[in-house]
């Protein structure tokens, strides 16, 4: 059954990708596919909640995701998942529940876009980072996650100690 | 956080509602207890998941996975004193899955449901006697169906794909022998779509059908509406107001989504999610037309200041025969999602927000759907997700107490 859901979600999201706002030159995939890829590869997930027409998403794409250091690190370290926060594409949660993209935002109480979330390979959220983030912040978040510091330190504590 | 509702009640009392309030009956579970691992959803386009007959019977449609697959079900409450009957399966079990059912009153004690399965829109009449034959409503592909009925007829609307772009089509539905048929289907906007058209909502005013939808032609989402005048739809109008100047803060647009409509006579009410004040996520906005949906008056912020710093989700709107306009939504202002209601005052302002014990508290109470009955009682259903265990669909009926 999951396969059916995933295939349908993949089709819908493939159609939807053209009208949402993931950054160019990054291999973002739909949620279901990303979870499967992450589990198979043992990689963490970088989840980007965007919205069609979202100015801060565009700013982040232009100013932060265009940084080659961010691009190299994030493509290498994560399975990249994009969710259209107003989209109706269907996705399947690890619990087996099928919900829409917008509903995922409601469940995670996403206030505004963009929201970035770092997830373990099984879908468990490590932390969420709402709003515009600079390239330097993305690199700091990456170091916090890939270095495993989140297991021992909160993000703010880590950022203070790293500065 | 739990102190806020008390303050809200106090403000509500001094805000002109003293001595007038909703009194909701003890809730019942609709469709029975689901097996572990099953999930119910109330997610029709236009939030058209509940319908009330002139005789007081109530129909609710939903999707759940009790069979291991997403299927569409309905239950009917035969009269004001009865409980809901058992869940009856409406969708075709030979198809892969069925989603997002909508419902409307059909007449003769029956209701019509429509849903998406295998990328097409299907329908079925049903009543206390069970379901009728399965019918296909969309000619080709279709999704996100919604339904509405009124003195001016019965209508459906859904999204069909045209070259990878969604386009809202409206269909007039009529009886043909023992089953409904599509008398005609027309795009709500005769111009070829230049961006996705999504999640239609319908209401049938005395003057004819009114349809609203999310439209992405402008590089961001706007809510457009049109109404049928004669045999054609009028030029598109924009429902959501935009901030006076577009700024980098908002990008190309502020974010609007999931419109719902309701009508009585030629008064039409709309509600939707709107992020023009983005710091607190989506707010519930509303607008009212007094001329059958030809023009809607200025946008109105619905929820009160206690919900301002929290996102509101899943708004629905209903209008009673005696002129009450009510919205319902869920938001987590008290730490977890609860159902909230607000009603439009005579001067066009909205009441303080109201919840009640059965629709609030532990777990999550979400996805409200509302409809008025002929006796002006408000029928409300929602999803209850406990902190642990299996979610369920709950229903209650409210009476306005002066």
């Amino acid at each position: 059954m999951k396969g059916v859901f995933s295939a349908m979600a993949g089709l819908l999201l493939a159609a939807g990708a053209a009208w949402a706002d993931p950054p160019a030159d990054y291999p973002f995939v739909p949620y279901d596919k990303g979870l499967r890829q992450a589990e198979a590869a043992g990689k963490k997930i970088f989840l980007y909640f965007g919205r069609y027409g979202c100015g801060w998403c565009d700013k982040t794409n232009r100013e932060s995701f265009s940084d080659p250091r961010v691009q190299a690190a994030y493509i290498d370290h994560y399975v990249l998942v994009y969710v259209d926060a107003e989209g109706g594409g269907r996705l399947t949660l690890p619990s087996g529940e099928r919900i829409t993209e917008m509903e995922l935002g409601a469940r995670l109480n996403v206030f505004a876009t963009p929201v970035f979330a770092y997830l373990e390979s099984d879908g468990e959220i490590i932390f969420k980072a709402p709003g515009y983030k600079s390239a330097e912040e993305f690199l700091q978040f990456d170091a916090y996650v890939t270095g495993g510091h989140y297991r021992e330190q909160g993000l703010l504590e880590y950022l203070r100690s790293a500065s | 956080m739990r102190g806020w509702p008390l303050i809200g009640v106090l403000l509500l009392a001094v805000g002109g509602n003293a001595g007038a309030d909703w009194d909701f009956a003890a809730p019942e579970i609709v469709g029975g207890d689901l097996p572990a691992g099953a999930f119910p959803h109330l997610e029709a386009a236009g939030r058209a998941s509940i319908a009330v007959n002139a005789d007081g019977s109530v129909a609710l449609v939903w999707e759940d996975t009790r069979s291991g697959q997403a299927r569409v079900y309905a239950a009917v409450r035969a009269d004001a004193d009865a409980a809901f009957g058992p869940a009856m399966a409406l969708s075709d079990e030979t198809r892969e899955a069925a989603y997002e059912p909508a419902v409307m009153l059909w007449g003769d004690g029956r209701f019509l449901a429509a849903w998406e399965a295998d990328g097409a829109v299907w329908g079925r009449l049903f009543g206390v006697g069970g379901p009728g034959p399965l019918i296909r409503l969309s000619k080709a592909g279709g999704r996100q169906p919604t339904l509405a009925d009124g003195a001016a007829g019965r209508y459906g609307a859904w999204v069909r794909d045209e070259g990878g772009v969604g386009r809202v089509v409206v269909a007039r539905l009529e009886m043909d022998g023992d089953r409904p048929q599509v008398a005609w289907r027309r795009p709500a906007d005769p111009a070829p779509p230049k961006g996705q058209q999504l999640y239609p909502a319908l209401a049938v005013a005395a003057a004819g059908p009114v349809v609203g939808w999310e439209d992405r032609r402008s590089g961001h989402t706007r809510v457009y509406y049109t109404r049928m005048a004669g045999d054609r739809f009028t030029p598109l109008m924009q429902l959501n107001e935009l901030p006076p100047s577009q700024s980098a803060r908002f990008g190309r647009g502020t974010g609007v989504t999931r419109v719902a409509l309701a009508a009585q006579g030629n008064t039409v009410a709309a509600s939707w999610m709107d992020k023009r004040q983005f710091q607190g996520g989506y707010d519930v906005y509303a607008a009212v037309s007094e001329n059958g949906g030809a023009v809607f008056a200025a946008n109105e912020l619905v929820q009160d200041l206690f919900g301002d710093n929290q996102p509101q989700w899943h708004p629905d709107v209903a209008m009673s025969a005696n002129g009450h306009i009510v919205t319902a939504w869920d938001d987590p202002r008290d730490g977890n999602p609860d159902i909230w209601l607000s009603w439009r005052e005579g001067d066009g302002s909205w009441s303080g927000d109201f919840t009640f014990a059965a629709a609030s508290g532990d777990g999550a109470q979400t996805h409200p759907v509302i409809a008025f009955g002929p006796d002006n009682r408000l029928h409300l259903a929602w999803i209850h997700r406990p902190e642990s265990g299996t979610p369920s669909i709950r229903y209650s009926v409210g009476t306005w107490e002066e």
Side-chain angles (χ1 to χ4, degrees):
Chain A
M1 185 177 70
K2 271 192 172 180
V4 173
F5 283 138
S6 300
M8 293 184 69
L11 287 171
L12 282 168
L13 288 170
W19 27 276
D21 288 309
D25 303 322
Y26 282 74
F28 277 90
V29 298
Y31 180 89
D32 288 27
K33 187 176 179 180
L35 252 60
R36 287 198 307 274
Q37 285 184 357
E39 189 172 17
K43 291 178 89 171
K44 292 183 171 54
I45 297 165
F46 175 71
L47 177 62
Y48 180 166
F49 272 99
R51 178 179 60 76
Y52 187 72
C54 158
W56 289 108
C57 304
D58 285 344
K59 180 179 170 69
T60 310
N61 293 348
R62 284 196 316 270
E63 298 181 6
S64 305
F65 286 115
S66 60
D67 188 307
R69 297 171 300 160
V70 174
Q71 185 181 31
Y74 277 66
I75 290 176
D76 187 41
H77 298 158
Y78 305 96
V79 171
L80 304 172
V81 170
Y82 183 85
V83 173
D84 174 355
E86 292 179 351
R90 298 188 180 107
L91 52 85
T92 307
L93 299 175
S95 66
E97 182 176 12
R98 190 277 313 156
I99 61 174
T100 63
E101 293 177 283
M102 192 187 84
E103 193 57 34
L104 184 63
R107 297 285 178 94
L108 298 178
N109 204 27
V110 169
F111 273 51
T113 51
V115 168
F116 306 100
Y118 297 76
L119 284 65
E120 297 281 10
S121 58
D122 63 0
E124 183 184 346
I125 291 179
I126 299 170
F127 75 98
K128 290 188 291 184
Y132 167 80
K133 299 292 175 247
S134 67
E136 296 305 324
E137 287 174 304
F138 277 121
L139 293 171
Q140 288 175 321
F141 296 164
D142 173 55
Y144 174 66
V145 172
T146 57
H149 302 288
Y150 64 92
R151 297 190 182 95
E152 297 158 4
Q153 286 178 297
L155 176 62
L156 292 178
E157 183 186 1
Y158 168 77
L159 293 175
R160 278 196 297 269
S161 65
S163 61
Chain B
M1 289 290 280
R2 282 284 174 189
W4 286 109
L6 176 60
I7 299 170
V9 168
L10 290 172
L11 271 189
L12 193 141
V14 300
N17 296 313
D21 227 335
W22 290 99
D23 180 26
F24 278 88
E28 66 172 288
I29 294 176
V30 182
D33 293 321
L34 293 174
F39 301 96
H41 298 113
L42 287 169
E43 52 185 8
R47 303 218 53 74
S49 303
I50 190 168
V52 186
N53 201 348
D55 64 6
S57 59
V58 182
L60 189 70
V61 296
W62 71 94
E63 168 260 309
D64 74 47
T65 52
R66 69 181 68 196
S67 70
Q69 181 63 281
R71 303 280 187 216
V72 168
Y73 299 89
V76 178
R77 186 175 185 256
D79 59 58
D81 299 322
F84 271 92
M88 64 180 90
L90 296 182
S91 54
D92 182 355
E93 294 197 357
T94 65
R95 299 186 187 281
E96 296 287 358
Y99 300 107
E100 300 179 12
V103 67
M104 71 173 168
L105 174 66
W106 187 264
D108 298 331
R110 291 182 294 178
F111 301 87
L112 177 69
W115 63 90
E116 175 199 337
D118 287 357
V121 176
W122 301 83
R124 204 164 195 173
L125 285 179
F126 67 95
V128 290
L134 193 67
I135 52 174
R136 180 169 175 148
L137 295 176
S138 64
K139 192 172 182 180
R143 56 195 163 100
Q144 299 165 1
T146 192
L147 298 168
D149 67 284
R154 309 177 187 106
Y155 294 88
W158 52 82
V159 175
R160 75 179 180 206
D161 282 314
E162 294 189 4
V165 179
R167 185 177 196 180
V168 170
V169 294
V170 179
R172 183 175 171 93
L173 305 171
E174 295 176 349
M175 201 65 177
D176 179 25
D178 66 342
R179 66 190 64 189
Q181 69 160 2
V182 175
W184 50 254
R185 300 177 189 84
R186 288 173 196 166
D189 178 7
K194 295 175 183 168
Q196 296 284 353
Q197 300 173 10
L198 301 166
Y199 287 98
L202 267 177
V204 181
V210 183
V211 57
W213 67 90
E214 299 171 26
D215 196 296
R216 294 185 169 190
R217 75 183 66 188
S218 301
H220 63 103
T221 307
R222 299 180 178 187
V223 177
Y224 285 131
Y225 67 94
T226 179
R227 70 183 181 109
M228 177 152 275
D231 62 351
R232 63 187 59 190
F233 285 102
T234 56
L236 303 191
M237 303 278 281
Q238 185 173 325
L239 186 59
N240 66 294
E241 296 162 354
L242 296 173
S245 63
Q246 298 292 298
S247 70
R249 169 178 292 180
F250 299 117
R252 295 187 295 272
T254 56
V256 290
T257 191
R258 304 304 189 268
V259 63
L261 294 170
Q264 280 288 337
N266 274 326
T267 303
V268 184
S271 68
W272 66 94
M273 293 160 59
D274 192 314
K275 211 164 13 181
R276 70 186 70 174
Q277 296 167 328
F278 70 98
Q279 294 94 335
Y282 290 104
D283 295 315
V284 179
Y285 274 81
V288 176
S289 167
E290 299 289 357
N291 54 7
V295 178
F296 280 82
N299 293 184
E300 300 165 358
L301 177 64
V302 172
Q303 87 271 353
D304 65 21
L305 61 93
F306 297 101
D308 245 10
N309 62 348
Q310 292 288 328
Q312 279 67 45
W313 302 95
H314 315 115
D316 194 9
V317 64
M319 194 181 315
S320 70
N322 65 356
H324 271 123
I325 298 174
V326 173
T327 59
W329 69 91
D330 60 81
D331 74 46
R333 71 183 69 181
D334 289 336
N336 53 303
D338 294 325
I339 304 297
W340 293 90
L341 300 169
S342 181
W343 52 97
R344 195 168 185 261
E345 309 278 12
D347 60 356
S349 62
W350 287 79
S351 73
D353 301 343
F354 172 86
T355 190
F356 57 102
S360 58
D362 294 340
Q365 290 66 229
T366 64
H367 297 80
V369 291
I370 52 175
F372 276 101
D375 56 0
N376 297 312
R377 295 196 303 165
L378 184 66
H379 301 261
L380 164 68
W382 69 94
I383 301 290
H384 172 67
R385 262 195 350 266
E387 290 177 353
S388 62
T390 306
S392 60
I393 297 173
R394 296 193 172 182
Y395 162 86
S396 181
V397 59
T399 304
W400 178 255
E401 300 286 354
E402 296 290 351

